[in-house]
Amino acid sequence: MSASSLVNEELQPTPTPSPPRPVIGMAVLSLGLSVVVTAAMVKAVFMLRDYNHNGALSTIIGIVLVVLTLYAWLPSVRAFASARERASLLGDGKLVAARRVAAHGREEAFISMGYAAAGLIVSVLLIFLFAKDGGVASTFFALDPIKKSFHEVIHAFWTNIWVACVAEVLVLILGLLVAIVRMLPGRAGAPLRMIAVVYCDVFRAIPAIVVILLIVFGLPLTGVHFFQTMSGTWLGIIALSMTYSAYVAEVYRAGLASIHPSQSAAARSLGLNYVQTLRTVLVPQAVRRVIPPLLNDFISLQKDTALLSTAAVAEGLLVAKLWESQLFNLSPITLVAAFFIIITIPQARFVDYLIDRDAARRAGK
C-alpha cells in the first residue's frame, strides 16, 4: 500500500481557502494621502505666487505642480475599482480571480502612496522655502546677488576643476606606488612595507584641512627656496595628493588582493619576475576592478578642493565668501554649491553605470 493512499479526505480534509485581504482600507488611505498632498501643494503654490508678486511664470509652475500631484489620485481610484471587483468576485465564488484582483488593488494603492509621499516631500520643501515671506529663498536663492557674483565665481571655480584634475593624476600614480610597496614580498621588503603602512595610517587619520594648512602655510616657512617660490595653489595640490593617495592606495591594495594567487603563480611559472608579473598580470586586472571606488574617491577629492579656501587660495568658495560678506547674502555660496552639483552628478551616474556594467558582466549578460 502506498503512502499516498493512507491520506484521504477523512483523515486530512482539504483546508478551506481563506478569502483575499480587503483592499478598501488601503484605497481609502491612499486617497486620503493624495488629497492631503494636493492641498499642501496648493498652499505651497500660493506662497510661491505671493513671493513672486503673482508673476505669470510662477503661476504656470504652480499649475504644473498641482496637476502633477493629481497623478497620485489615479492609482487610488483604480484601487477602489479593484476593491469593488474583489467583492463581486467573492460573491460569485471566484476565489482565485478575487485574489488576483485584490493583489492588483493593493499594488495600485501602494503606487498611489508612493507618488503622494514624493509630492508631500516637494510641497513641504516649497512651504519651507517660501515661509516668512520667502525668507529662506531670499537668503539662499536671491537672483540679484547670483547675477552680480556669477562671472567672478565661475572664473574662480575653474581653479577647483584644474586642481582636482592635476591632483587626481598625482593620486593615481602615488597611490599605486604606495600600494605596490605595501605588498612587497619577503623580509627585504619589510622596511618599505612598514613605511607604506605608516604613510597610509597617518594621512588617513589627519583631516584634509589640517594637511592643507600645514603644507600651504608651513612649507614656505621652512626657508627652502623651492617651496617659497611655489604658489599656494600648487602647495594645495600637494596637500590633497598626499591625503587622497593614502585612500587610493588602500583601494589599489584591495584590488590587487582580490586577484586569485594562481594568477601570480602562473605568471611566475612562465618565467616572469615580480615586476613583470605586476605590470602585465596583476595591475591591469586590479585597475579594472577598482575603477568605481576610485571614481568615488575622486568625487570626494573634487569636493575637498573647496578646503583650499582656508589657505587663501582664490578658488570658487573663497570668491563666493568675499561676495557674501559684501552683499550680506548667502546666494553666492549657493551658486558654488550648484557648480559642484553640476560637475559631481554626472560622475556619480557614471560610477553607477560602471557598477551595473561590471555586475552584468559577472552575471554573464
Side-chain angles (χ1 to χ4, degrees):
M1 181 180 296
S2 63
S4 60
S5 63
L6 296 176
V7 180
N8 53 40
E9 293 294 332
E10 296 179 357
L11 298 178
Q12 185 176 343
T14 302
T16 303
S18 59
R21 288 180 295 170
V23 182
I24 189 67
M26 296 185 62
V28 171
L29 179 61
S30 63
L31 181 60
L33 183 58
S34 300
V35 172
V36 170
V37 170
T38 301
M41 187 61 73
V42 170
K43 176 179 175 59
V45 166
F46 277 113
M47 296 173 67
L48 170 63
R49 294 181 71 248
D50 292 339
Y51 177 74
N52 289 280
H53 308 291
N54 299 328
L57 180 61
S58 61
T59 302
I60 295 173
I61 293 175
I63 293 174
V64 171
L65 290 175
V66 173
V67 171
L68 288 176
T69 61
L70 295 178
Y71 183 79
W73 293 49
L74 299 179
S76 178
V77 172
R78 289 195 291 266
F80 276 101
S82 297
R84 290 193 300 269
E85 187 178 356
R86 167 191 174 275
S88 175
L89 291 172
L90 282 178
D92 296 339
K94 299 178 179 178
L95 186 59
V96 175
R99 284 180 176 275
R100 183 167 56 249
V101 170
H104 178 70
R106 288 192 298 271
E107 182 182 4
E108 292 290 345
F110 278 122
I111 293 173
S112 175
M113 287 187 283
Y115 280 104
L120 183 62
I121 293 173
V122 174
S123 60
V124 169
L125 288 176
L126 289 175
I127 291 173
F128 170 73
L129 188 63
F130 298 107
K132 293 295 182 180
D133 298 325
V136 176
S138 299
T139 301
F140 296 100
F141 302 100
L143 292 179
D144 188 58
I146 290 176
K147 291 179 181 178
K148 290 181 179 179
S149 60
F150 183 87
H151 178 72
E152 292 188 16
V153 171
I154 195 172
H155 180 74
F157 188 71
W158 282 110
T159 301
N160 297 82
I161 295 177
W162 79 264
V163 163
C165 292
V166 175
E168 286 169 6
V169 174
L170 296 177
V171 165
L172 282 174
I173 298 172
L174 183 58
L176 180 59
L177 178 62
V178 173
I180 292 174
V181 170
R182 189 166 179 179
M183 299 185 69
L184 289 176
R187 293 177 59 188
L192 294 177
R193 289 199 303 269
M194 185 178 299
I195 292 176
V197 169
V198 171
Y199 177 87
C200 292
D201 291 344
V202 168
F203 281 98
R204 284 191 299 168
I206 303 176
I209 189 172
V210 176
V211 178
I212 290 172
L213 294 176
L214 289 174
I215 291 180
V216 176
F217 292 129
L219 290 183
L221 297 178
T222 60
V224 179
H225 180 71
F226 177 75
F227 294 125
Q228 288 180 330
T229 57
M230 186 176 294
S231 66
T233 303
W234 279 102
L235 290 172
I237 291 174
I238 293 175
L240 289 173
S241 300
M242 294 179 68
T243 299
Y244 274 89
S245 60
Y247 294 100
V248 170
E250 290 300 292
V251 174
Y252 275 129
R253 189 168 71 94
L256 290 169
S258 67
I259 300 174
H260 197 274
S262 61
Q263 298 276 331
S264 177
R268 299 302 294 272
S269 66
L270 293 175
L272 300 179
N273 57 33
Y274 182 72
V275 176
Q276 291 173 329
T277 302
L278 282 175
R279 182 173 60 84
T280 60
V281 178
L282 301 182
V283 171
Q285 296 185 68
V287 169
R288 285 195 297 269
R289 296 184 181 186
V290 301
I291 285 178
L294 278 179
L295 290 177
N296 281 325
D297 282 336
F298 289 159
I299 291 173
S300 299
L301 172 59
Q302 176 71 66
K303 295 187 298 182
D304 280 350
T305 57
L307 296 176
L308 297 182
S309 62
T310 60
V313 176
E315 46 77 54
L317 180 59
L318 180 62
V319 174
K321 287 172 64 178
L322 295 176
W323 274 101
E324 178 266 333
S325 61
Q326 179 180 346
L327 300 175
F328 301 101
N329 189 278
L330 287 171
S331 297
I333 308 295
T334 305
L335 179 62
V336 174
F339 289 155
F340 276 108
I341 291 173
I342 291 172
I343 66 172
T344 299
I345 288 181
Q347 298 178 59
R349 297 290 75 78
F350 184 61
V351 171
D352 293 340
Y353 164 75
L354 292 177
I355 293 175
D356 293 339
R357 189 183 68 174
D358 184 67
R361 182 179 61 82
R362 293 177 182 274
K365 298 181 180 179

